[in-house]
Amino acid sequence: MIDQALEDPNTKCEIILVHTGANSLSSHSSRDFADLRNEMNDTSEVVSITILNQSGLHKSLTSGIAGEPINLQIGITSWGKKGEPFEAFYGQVSADQIADWWTCYRSRLFNKNLRSTLGDTEVNNEMILTLEKKPEHFWYFNNGITIVARSAVKPLAGGSSSDFATFHCDDIGIVNGAQTVGTIGKYGESKSIQSLSNVFVPVRIIVRGNNLSLEEEVTRTNNRQNRIENRDFVALDPVQSQLKADLGIEGIDYQILRSEMINRSDKAFDLVEATTALACASGSVRLAVLLKREIGKLWEDINKPPYKELFNPSISAPYIWRCVKIQRKIDLALQSVDKRLTSVKKRDPIATHGNRLISFLVFSLLPSNSLKNPDFEMDPKISDSLIQTDVDKVLSELAEQIDHFYQNSIIPTLFKNFSKCDDLVNKTKEAIPKDPL
């Protein structure tokens, strides 16, 4: 087979050099490869050379995390064009096309959006009602969808007529209208896609070229149908994208987008779990109390604290995954505390309402520097039984401190008071020595 390939004049050869260096090849090594390529291509172009250093190798791995780019052929009726300052096309797209997109790609369509589908919200239920009762009114009642594409090309077929055209769109992302697309897609699955052929939806296709900042700005400013929450803008943070990519290489699915379909397993976790674990492991009582008060405050502004205290370039993928796994162990131990400890009635409300402060104290007993060490083997050293013992120890001591110093406090509000929690943490830490691992 090799001999036949070498004798075939149509055979092309690609030479790939992969190395883990951070820099490019030296001039001498590059010259060697260039000389080889020139020699082999003396009569025709049969050899090409690709060199992947550490950065290029990482990109080649992470490019497959979200799947291949989505390319669509979109048929648009009553279409028009806007040329400046950015090229864009607009018109109406039939809902059966949208249902086909959903069947083929599902939530991958929204990888560039602030969130995925949200399920049975009031707005989404109203869309279903319109599809069932007044399908011909859907265009009038819906804000439509916005698609950002690297390129959008209209073939010559059809000439200059604006009645109908098919646009070939490369590397698309639906940056507004996830609820519309998801609702139509699910409706088509439960009924029939053919029933949607006479339903039309407003559509815009914005051509970004290589302008990624345009894509981000369009995404940020074009979400208004369902209420935008602070956490939705987290999807625009490059740190989150890097964490998702790094975790994906290790086979861990980190789900950043708000969605009705959250998967939490031994190979998957989401933004809420990550934020909870990092706040409890932060060493800052203020962040743990803020977590208990209102987790959304931690995502209020992705450009400054408290968000930047939790998510910044110093937070590695292995560290965040370890913190999430420890947080899960703590939550599990708290759920079964009544089976282990006496005087449950006294401790149970503390375990419930003080869960984040307890978690904070348990993390303080663990070797935080080791958790950040890539070579640290967590599983044999930080076992379920160790966490369970620490949870019981912290809960018992915390209950004693509350009995002694805050006996008249209302338990649910006690753990949302920063000064009181700070005092409780200091007193509890003094009473519980930290065991070295």
Side-chain angles (χ1 to χ4, degrees):
M1 290 176 64
I2 294 174
D3 287 340
Q4 289 175 358
L6 292 175
E7 292 172 2
D8 187 339
N10 294 318
T11 294
K12 306 292 182 183
C13 177
E14 182 175 10
I15 298 173
I16 304 174
L17 171 65
V18 180
H19 66 96
T20 57
N23 300 320
S24 302
L25 286 183
S26 68
S27 57
H28 295 89
S29 299
S30 297
R31 190 182 308 123
D32 287 339
F33 279 96
D35 290 345
L36 172 62
R37 181 183 57 214
N38 294 337
E39 179 184 347
M40 299 299 293
N41 293 338
D42 184 39
T43 55
S44 62
E45 295 289 329
V46 295
V47 169
S48 61
I49 295 176
T50 298
I51 298 175
L52 294 176
N53 63 0
Q54 186 181 85
S55 174
L57 182 60
H58 186 268
K59 288 179 181 177
S60 74
L61 291 170
T62 58
S63 63
I65 299 300
E68 292 296 318
I70 296 175
N71 305 323
L72 293 178
Q73 294 185 27
I74 304 175
I76 303 179
T77 60
S78 304
W79 67 275
K81 177 180 178 180
K82 182 172 176 57
E84 296 292 338
F86 308 106
E87 186 178 42
F89 302 93
Y90 56 89
Q92 306 173 45
V93 62
S94 60
D96 58 341
Q97 283 188 78
I98 295 175
D100 283 333
W101 304 345
W102 175 261
T103 300
C104 293
Y105 303 107
R106 306 189 84 79
S107 60
R108 277 188 60 211
L109 292 163
F110 319 127
N111 279 346
K112 300 176 183 181
N113 202 354
L114 296 183
R115 61 195 170 193
S116 186
T117 55
L118 300 180
D120 296 331
T121 67
E122 182 180 353
V123 172
N124 294 350
N125 289 333
E126 287 179 0
M127 276 194 276
I128 293 173
L129 192 62
T130 303
L131 289 171
E132 290 178 341
K133 304 296 183 182
K134 298 179 180 180
E136 70 279 5
H137 292 176
F138 195 89
W139 183 89
Y140 299 94
F141 295 168
N142 188 266
N143 287 347
I145 60 178
T146 300
I147 298 172
V148 174
R150 183 173 56 82
S151 65
V153 179
K154 175 189 171 296
L156 292 176
S160 59
S161 172
S162 62
D163 293 339
F164 180 83
T166 299
F167 292 85
H168 296 257
C169 304
D170 292 338
D171 193 7
I172 70 98
I174 295 175
V175 299
N176 176 246
Q179 311 316 310
T180 297
V181 173
T183 300
I184 289 173
K186 293 174 185 177
Y187 184 86
E189 288 176 338
S190 63
K191 306 294 183 179
S192 71
I193 291 180
Q194 288 73 23
S195 66
L196 297 169
S197 59
N198 294 321
V199 177
F200 289 90
V201 182
V203 64
R204 292 187 303 167
I205 303 173
I206 298 172
V207 181
R208 64 164 173 83
N210 295 319
N211 188 349
L212 296 179
S213 62
L214 171 63
E215 181 175 88
E216 179 180 325
E217 193 169 2
V218 170
T219 303
R220 185 189 299 275
T221 56
N222 273 264
N223 288 270
R224 293 295 181 268
Q225 279 194 332
N226 284 279
R227 183 172 64 90
I228 290 292
E229 296 182 1
N230 290 335
R231 68 156 290 176
D232 295 324
F233 291 102
V234 171
L236 300 177
D237 183 8
V239 170
Q240 296 287 349
S241 301
Q242 186 64 56
L243 285 170
K244 183 175 178 63
D246 291 345
L247 286 159
I249 292 174
E250 300 301 323
I252 308 299
D253 179 20
Y254 176 35
Q255 300 150 64
I256 303 170
L257 300 183
R258 183 162 58 104
S259 172
E260 63 177 318
M261 297 174 287
I262 292 297
N263 173 31
R264 293 178 177 177
S265 68
D266 59 352
K267 290 292 183 180
F269 68 103
D270 66 310
L271 177 65
V272 173
E273 278 197 293
T275 304
T276 300
L278 289 178
C280 291
S282 66
S284 168
V285 180
R286 177 178 55 85
L287 292 178
V289 173
L290 198 56
L291 172 70
K292 188 63 183 178
R293 282 181 182 174
E294 186 181 353
I295 190 173
K297 290 292 185 182
L298 297 173
W299 305 312
E300 196 163 47
D301 189 334
I302 66 172
N303 296 308
K304 65 181 185 181
Y307 175 81
K308 282 296 185 184
E309 294 175 75
L310 298 177
F311 296 100
N312 55 69
S314 71
I315 301 298
S316 70
Y319 175 71
I320 193 172
W321 180 225
R322 285 168 181 163
C323 288
V324 167
K325 289 195 288 185
I326 291 171
Q327 183 61 48
R328 287 178 176 178
K329 293 176 188 286
I330 295 171
D331 289 339
L332 192 61
L334 284 170
Q335 290 169 15
S336 58
V337 72
D338 59 334
K339 298 177 181 177
R340 300 188 304 275
L341 298 183
T342 58
S343 306
V344 172
K345 289 184 179 179
K346 181 175 69 172
R347 290 180 171 85
D348 193 46
I350 297 175
T352 300
H353 298 287
N355 58 342
R356 299 314 180 205
L357 199 67
I358 292 169
S359 181
F360 176 85
L361 285 162
V362 171
F363 268 105
S364 72
L365 298 175
L366 301 176
S368 58
N369 289 334
S370 295
L371 291 177
K372 295 177 181 178
N373 182 352
D375 299 322
F376 180 65
E377 296 182 11
M378 190 189 84
D379 291 334
K381 293 183 178 179
I382 304 180
S383 62
D384 293 352
S385 60
L386 173 69
I387 295 297
Q388 184 174 288
T389 299
D390 284 349
V391 165
D392 293 351
K393 186 164 46 177
V394 165
L395 178 55
S396 295
E397 187 56 43
L398 188 60
E400 293 298 323
Q401 298 296 337
I402 292 172
D403 272 352
H404 190 68
F405 294 100
Y406 297 100
Q407 188 174 12
N408 297 322
S409 294
I410 300 171
I411 293 299
T413 58
L414 172 63
F415 292 107
K416 297 179 182 179
N417 184 299
F418 170 72
S419 60
K420 291 180 180 179
C421 285
D422 190 47
D423 184 49
L424 281 170
V425 164
N426 290 330
K427 286 179 167 59
T428 304
K429 279 185 175 182
E430 289 177 4
I432 303 177
K434 182 176 179 179
D435 296 326
L437 288 180

